[in-house]
């Protein structure tokens, strides 16, 4: 379940509240850049108006085949100079801090949000591709979840082979249940 602040919850219940997307782009060296679809000074950071557009923010799960596809997003931004600098000039491309694998966080901000804690974090991912020209930058990202599970082996545990476990269940994998499942079956 999403942890939505009281301010954001109240704002989202109205019919005509303007929503701003905030994007944090953090390089490997720790330097973070702040962008939005509307320029603003918010939470001690200046968010540049780069005509931010976020598309294809999706994740899909096929329950029948038990497969899932990674949450991916396509972010389009202006590369037109802002304060004499293009987006492509902001990043330290030559210093080994390429945009690939940079961390991207996207938040929903409404007019009554006073801090980043009031905003809703809707996406965390890493940059997998970037295409630029003189006018536009298109950044492709994927969810960071695959990095978390990459080296994990499922199932995580097995039942013991002790005499107190029925013979048919000894050394069998313990099923994992994610989320809230009513009447989830037990092992024994």
């Amino acid at each position: 379940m999403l942890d939505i602040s009281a301010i954001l919850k109240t704002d989202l219940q109205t019919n005509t509240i303007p929503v701003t997307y905030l994007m944090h782009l953090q390089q490997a060296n720790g330097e973070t850049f702040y962008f939005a679809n509307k320029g603003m000074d918010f939470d001690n950071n200046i968010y540049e108006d780069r005509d931010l557009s976020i598309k294809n923010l999706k994740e899909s799960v096929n329950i029948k085949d038990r497969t899932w596809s990674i949450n991916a997003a396509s972010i389009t931004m202006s590369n037109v100079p802002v304060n004499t600098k293009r987006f492509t000039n902001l990043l330290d491309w030559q210093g080994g801090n390429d945009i690939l694998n940079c961390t991207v966080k996207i938040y929903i901000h409404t007019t009554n949000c006073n801090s980043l804690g009031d905003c809703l974090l809707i996406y965390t991912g890493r940059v997998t591709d970037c295409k630029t020209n003189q006018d536009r930058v298109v950044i492709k990202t994927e969810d960071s979840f695959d990095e978390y599970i990459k080296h994990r082996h499922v199932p995580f545990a097995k039942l013991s082979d002790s005499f107190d476990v029925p013979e048919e269940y000894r050394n069998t994998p313990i099923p994992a249940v994610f989320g809230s499942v009513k009447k989830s079956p037990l092992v024994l």
Side-chain angles (χ1 to χ4, degrees), residues 54 56-58 70-75 104-107 120-127 140-144:
I54 302 165
N56 300 331
L57 186 59
K58 64 182 176 182
I70 295 172
N71 193 349
S74 177
I75 302 164
V104 174
K105 290 186 178 182
I106 299 173
Y107 298 86
L120 177 64
L121 175 64
I122 60 169
Y123 182 77
T124 301
R126 60 184 165 75
V127 177
K140 302 284 186 188
T141 66
E142 287 185 357
D143 195 334
S144 302

Side-chain angles (χ1 to χ4, degrees), residues 24-44:
H24 295 185
L25 180 68
Q26 184 176 20
Q27 291 185 293
N29 65 2
E31 188 173 6
T32 303
F33 298 94
Y34 304 94
F35 305 103
N37 56 339
K38 181 180 96 178
M40 66 175 71
D41 183 358
F42 178 69
D43 206 31
N44 298 320

Side-chain angles (χ1 to χ4, degrees), residues 17-90:
I17 192 81
V19 173
T20 304
Y21 291 103
L22 307 178
M23 182 177 94
H24 295 185
L25 180 68
Q26 184 176 20
Q27 291 185 293
N29 65 2
E31 188 173 6
T32 303
F33 298 94
Y34 304 94
F35 305 103
N37 56 339
K38 181 180 96 178
M40 66 175 71
D41 183 358
F42 178 69
D43 206 31
N44 298 320
N45 296 308
I46 296 174
Y47 289 83
E48 287 189 15
D49 182 1
R50 292 278 178 176
D51 195 24
L52 184 67
S53 173
I54 302 165
K55 296 181 178 139
N56 300 331
L57 186 59
K58 64 182 176 182
E59 179 177 29
S60 62
V61 177
N62 185 333
I63 296 173
K64 181 180 176 186
D65 296 333
R66 296 181 181 175
T67 59
W68 59 279
S69 64
I70 295 172
N71 193 349
S74 177
I75 302 164
T76 305
M77 299 170 52
S78 171
N79 199 26
V80 174
V82 174
N83 298 327
T84 70
K85 284 196 169 187
R86 295 182 184 275
F87 171 79
T88 50
N89 299 127
L90 291 175

Side-chain angles (χ1 to χ4, degrees), residues 90-120:
L90 291 175
L91 302 175
D92 184 11
W93 299 88
Q94 311 308 323
N97 292 316
D98 193 4
I99 191 171
L100 293 180
N101 292 319
C102 284
T103 302
V104 174
K105 290 186 178 182
I106 299 173
Y107 298 86
I108 290 179
H109 168 273
T110 59
T111 52
N112 292 323
C113 290
N114 299 316
S115 70
L116 201 59
D118 294 335
C119 299
L120 177 64

Side-chain angles (χ1 to χ4, degrees), residues 176-185:
V177 178
F178 297 94
S180 176
V181 179
K182 291 182 181 179
K183 298 183 181 179
S184 179

